[in-house]
Short mmCIF file of all heavy atoms in Angstrom, two decimals:
data_model
loop_
_atom_site.label_atom_id
_atom_site.label_comp_id
_atom_site.label_asym_id
_atom_site.label_seq_id
_atom_site.Cartn_x
_atom_site.Cartn_y
_atom_site.Cartn_z
N SER X 162 15.22 4.80 3.94
CA SER X 162 14.17 4.73 5.06
C SER X 162 12.84 4.53 4.52
O SER X 162 12.01 3.67 4.94
CB SER X 162 14.25 6.01 5.89
OG SER X 162 13.90 7.08 5.11
N MET X 163 12.49 5.14 3.39
CA MET X 163 11.08 4.95 2.84
C MET X 163 11.09 3.62 2.16
O MET X 163 9.99 3.04 2.00
CB MET X 163 10.81 6.15 1.84
CG MET X 163 10.28 7.33 2.58
SD MET X 163 10.12 8.80 1.51
CE MET X 163 9.13 8.30 0.29
N SER X 164 12.12 3.17 1.56
CA SER X 164 12.09 1.92 0.91
C SER X 164 11.84 0.86 1.88
O SER X 164 11.00 -0.10 1.67
CB SER X 164 13.49 1.63 0.18
OG SER X 164 13.78 2.54 -0.71
N VAL X 165 12.40 0.97 3.03
CA VAL X 165 12.20 -0.04 4.16
C VAL X 165 10.80 -0.08 4.55
O VAL X 165 10.13 -1.03 4.70
CB VAL X 165 13.18 0.22 5.40
CG1 VAL X 165 12.81 -0.70 6.54
CG2 VAL X 165 14.61 -0.05 4.85
N THR X 166 10.25 1.19 4.93
CA THR X 166 8.98 1.16 5.52
C THR X 166 7.83 0.90 4.36
O THR X 166 6.81 0.21 4.69
CB THR X 166 8.55 2.51 6.23
OG1 THR X 166 8.74 3.57 5.24
CG2 THR X 166 9.42 2.86 7.32
N SER X 167 8.03 1.32 3.19
CA SER X 167 7.09 0.99 2.09
C SER X 167 7.13 -0.49 1.88
O SER X 167 6.15 -1.11 1.59
CB SER X 167 7.57 1.75 0.88
OG SER X 167 6.60 1.70 -0.15
N GLY X 168 8.37 -1.08 1.99
CA GLY X 168 8.45 -2.61 1.84
C GLY X 168 7.64 -3.36 2.96
O GLY X 168 6.98 -4.29 2.70
N LEU X 169 7.79 -2.82 4.14
CA LEU X 169 7.02 -3.34 5.29
C LEU X 169 5.47 -3.20 5.08
O LEU X 169 4.75 -4.06 5.43
CB LEU X 169 7.49 -2.73 6.65
CG LEU X 169 8.57 -3.67 7.39
CD1 LEU X 169 7.99 -4.95 7.91
CD2 LEU X 169 9.80 -3.90 6.59
N ASN X 170 5.12 -2.12 4.57
CA ASN X 170 3.75 -1.88 4.20
C ASN X 170 3.21 -2.89 3.20
O ASN X 170 2.14 -3.56 3.35
CB ASN X 170 3.53 -0.45 3.51
CG ASN X 170 2.15 -0.11 3.22
OD1 ASN X 170 1.95 0.87 2.53
ND2 ASN X 170 1.13 -0.80 3.74
N ALA X 171 4.09 -3.28 2.14
CA ALA X 171 3.60 -4.23 1.19
C ALA X 171 3.72 -5.66 1.93
O ALA X 171 2.69 -6.42 1.69
CB ALA X 171 4.75 -4.30 0.06
N ILE X 172 4.58 -5.95 2.72
CA ILE X 172 4.74 -7.27 3.34
C ILE X 172 3.35 -7.42 4.28
O ILE X 172 2.88 -8.49 4.19
CB ILE X 172 5.93 -7.33 4.34
CG1 ILE X 172 7.12 -7.53 3.45
CG2 ILE X 172 5.85 -8.51 5.29
CD1 ILE X 172 8.54 -7.43 4.28
N ALA X 173 2.85 -6.31 4.75
CA ALA X 173 1.68 -6.35 5.66
C ALA X 173 0.43 -6.99 4.80
O ALA X 173 -0.33 -7.66 5.30
CB ALA X 173 1.29 -5.02 6.16
N HIS X 174 0.43 -6.51 3.49
CA HIS X 174 -0.66 -7.03 2.60
C HIS X 174 -0.52 -8.57 2.59
O HIS X 174 -1.50 -9.33 2.55
CB HIS X 174 -0.62 -6.50 1.27
CG HIS X 174 -0.47 -5.00 1.14
ND1 HIS X 174 -1.01 -4.18 2.09
CD2 HIS X 174 0.14 -4.14 0.28
CE1 HIS X 174 -0.73 -2.89 1.81
NE2 HIS X 174 0.00 -2.94 0.69
N ALA X 175 0.67 -9.09 2.33
CA ALA X 175 0.87 -10.48 2.10
C ALA X 175 0.65 -11.29 3.41
O ALA X 175 0.06 -12.38 3.41
CB ALA X 175 2.26 -10.74 1.53
N VAL X 176 1.03 -10.68 4.50
CA VAL X 176 0.87 -11.42 5.75
C VAL X 176 -0.68 -11.68 6.06
O VAL X 176 -1.03 -12.71 6.38
CB VAL X 176 1.49 -10.51 6.95
CG1 VAL X 176 1.16 -11.11 8.32
CG2 VAL X 176 3.13 -10.60 6.78
N GLU X 177 -1.31 -10.50 5.91
CA GLU X 177 -2.80 -10.69 6.23
C GLU X 177 -3.50 -11.54 5.17
O GLU X 177 -4.57 -12.16 5.40
CB GLU X 177 -3.47 -9.26 6.37
CG GLU X 177 -2.96 -8.66 7.60
CD GLU X 177 -4.04 -7.92 8.45
OE1 GLU X 177 -4.52 -6.95 7.97
OE2 GLU X 177 -4.27 -8.43 9.53
N ALA X 178 -2.99 -11.53 3.87
CA ALA X 178 -3.58 -12.41 2.91
C ALA X 178 -3.40 -13.84 3.31
O ALA X 178 -4.26 -14.71 2.99
CB ALA X 178 -2.90 -12.15 1.59
N LEU X 179 -2.32 -14.25 3.95
CA LEU X 179 -2.03 -15.62 4.35
C LEU X 179 -2.96 -16.12 5.40
O LEU X 179 -3.25 -17.30 5.51
CB LEU X 179 -0.58 -15.76 4.90
CG LEU X 179 0.39 -15.92 3.76
CD1 LEU X 179 1.87 -15.71 4.23
CD2 LEU X 179 0.40 -17.15 2.93
N TYR X 180 -3.59 -15.18 6.21
CA TYR X 180 -4.64 -15.69 7.19
C TYR X 180 -5.91 -15.11 6.83
O TYR X 180 -6.89 -15.08 7.74
CB TYR X 180 -4.16 -15.41 8.63
CG TYR X 180 -3.78 -13.97 9.11
CD1 TYR X 180 -4.77 -13.05 9.07
CD2 TYR X 180 -2.58 -13.79 9.67
CE1 TYR X 180 -4.33 -11.69 9.48
CE2 TYR X 180 -2.26 -12.58 10.12
CZ TYR X 180 -3.12 -11.50 10.05
OH TYR X 180 -2.80 -10.28 10.50
N ALA X 181 -6.21 -14.59 5.65
CA ALA X 181 -7.52 -13.99 5.24
C ALA X 181 -8.59 -15.14 5.24
O ALA X 181 -8.24 -16.25 5.06
CB ALA X 181 -7.40 -13.41 3.85
N ARG X 182 -9.77 -14.68 5.44
CA ARG X 182 -10.85 -15.53 5.48
C ARG X 182 -11.07 -16.15 4.03
O ARG X 182 -11.36 -17.41 3.99
CB ARG X 182 -12.15 -14.80 5.85
CG ARG X 182 -13.42 -15.68 5.84
CD ARG X 182 -14.62 -15.00 6.55
NE ARG X 182 -14.76 -13.63 6.22
CZ ARG X 182 -15.75 -12.88 6.57
NH1 ARG X 182 -16.70 -13.38 7.35
NH2 ARG X 182 -15.70 -11.58 6.33
N GLU X 183 -10.72 -15.40 3.01
CA GLU X 183 -10.92 -15.91 1.69
C GLU X 183 -9.60 -16.47 1.10
O GLU X 183 -9.35 -16.47 -0.06
CB GLU X 183 -11.31 -14.85 0.63
CG GLU X 183 -12.53 -14.03 1.06
CD GLU X 183 -12.13 -12.80 1.92
OE1 GLU X 183 -11.01 -12.79 2.46
OE2 GLU X 183 -12.94 -11.88 2.04
N THR X 184 -8.66 -16.80 1.99
CA THR X 184 -7.27 -17.34 1.54
C THR X 184 -7.49 -18.37 0.56
O THR X 184 -8.39 -19.23 0.66
CB THR X 184 -6.51 -17.68 2.67
OG1 THR X 184 -5.14 -17.95 2.23
CG2 THR X 184 -6.93 -18.90 3.47
N ASN X 185 -6.61 -18.37 -0.42
CA ASN X 185 -6.57 -19.59 -1.39
C ASN X 185 -5.23 -19.88 -1.86
O ASN X 185 -4.32 -18.94 -1.60
CB ASN X 185 -7.45 -19.17 -2.62
CG ASN X 185 -7.03 -17.90 -3.36
OD1 ASN X 185 -5.95 -17.97 -3.99
ND2 ASN X 185 -7.70 -16.80 -3.17
N PRO X 186 -4.95 -20.98 -2.44
CA PRO X 186 -3.54 -21.44 -2.60
C PRO X 186 -2.82 -20.45 -3.55
O PRO X 186 -1.54 -20.29 -3.47
CB PRO X 186 -3.67 -22.79 -3.27
CG PRO X 186 -5.07 -23.14 -3.38
CD PRO X 186 -5.86 -22.03 -2.79
N ILE X 187 -3.51 -19.81 -4.65
CA ILE X 187 -2.76 -18.96 -5.52
C ILE X 187 -2.25 -17.72 -4.85
O ILE X 187 -1.08 -17.40 -4.90
CB ILE X 187 -3.67 -18.46 -6.72
CG1 ILE X 187 -4.12 -19.71 -7.43
CG2 ILE X 187 -2.92 -17.55 -7.61
CD1 ILE X 187 -3.17 -20.49 -8.21
N ILE X 188 -3.12 -17.14 -4.02
CA ILE X 188 -2.75 -15.80 -3.39
C ILE X 188 -1.67 -16.14 -2.30
O ILE X 188 -0.78 -15.40 -2.04
CB ILE X 188 -3.97 -15.21 -2.79
CG1 ILE X 188 -4.92 -14.62 -3.95
CG2 ILE X 188 -3.65 -14.03 -1.85
CD1 ILE X 188 -4.15 -13.63 -4.78
N SER X 189 -1.87 -17.26 -1.74
CA SER X 189 -0.78 -17.68 -0.68
C SER X 189 0.57 -17.86 -1.19
O SER X 189 1.65 -17.45 -0.61
CB SER X 189 -1.24 -18.97 0.08
OG SER X 189 -2.37 -18.77 0.89
N LEU X 190 0.68 -18.34 -2.56
CA LEU X 190 1.96 -18.53 -3.17
C LEU X 190 2.45 -17.09 -3.40
O LEU X 190 3.62 -16.89 -3.20
CB LEU X 190 1.69 -19.18 -4.55
CG LEU X 190 1.57 -20.69 -4.66
CD1 LEU X 190 1.40 -21.17 -6.06
CD2 LEU X 190 2.94 -21.32 -4.09
N LEU X 191 1.64 -16.23 -3.94
CA LEU X 191 2.14 -14.88 -4.22
C LEU X 191 2.59 -14.15 -2.92
O LEU X 191 3.60 -13.53 -2.88
CB LEU X 191 0.99 -13.98 -4.93
CG LEU X 191 0.43 -14.57 -6.15
CD1 LEU X 191 -0.53 -13.38 -6.75
CD2 LEU X 191 1.41 -14.94 -7.24
N ALA X 192 1.90 -14.42 -1.81
CA ALA X 192 2.14 -13.78 -0.54
C ALA X 192 3.44 -14.27 -0.10
O ALA X 192 4.39 -13.40 0.28
CB ALA X 192 1.08 -14.12 0.48
N GLU X 193 3.73 -15.50 -0.11
CA GLU X 193 4.99 -16.04 0.33
C GLU X 193 6.11 -15.54 -0.48
O GLU X 193 7.18 -15.10 0.00
CB GLU X 193 4.97 -17.60 0.34
CG GLU X 193 5.49 -18.04 1.63
CD GLU X 193 5.36 -19.68 1.68
OE1 GLU X 193 4.21 -20.19 1.60
OE2 GLU X 193 6.49 -20.29 1.66
N GLN X 194 5.98 -15.53 -1.85
CA GLN X 194 7.00 -15.04 -2.76
C GLN X 194 7.20 -13.50 -2.47
O GLN X 194 8.32 -13.02 -2.51
CB GLN X 194 6.54 -15.13 -4.15
CG GLN X 194 6.67 -16.52 -4.70
CD GLN X 194 8.18 -16.98 -4.86
OE1 GLN X 194 8.84 -16.24 -5.54
NE2 GLN X 194 8.49 -18.06 -4.30
#
Side-chain angles (χ1 to χ4, degrees):
S162 61
M163 278 168 58
S164 302
V165 171
T166 56
S167 191
L169 264 292
N170 181 196
I172 289 175
H174 311 328
V176 168
E177 291 222 292
L179 281 166
Y180 56 61
R182 183 166 35 176
E183 311 89 340
T184 188
N185 63 69
I187 301 291
I188 292 301
S189 295
L190 278 177
L191 301 189
E193 228 178 294
Q194 282 290 308

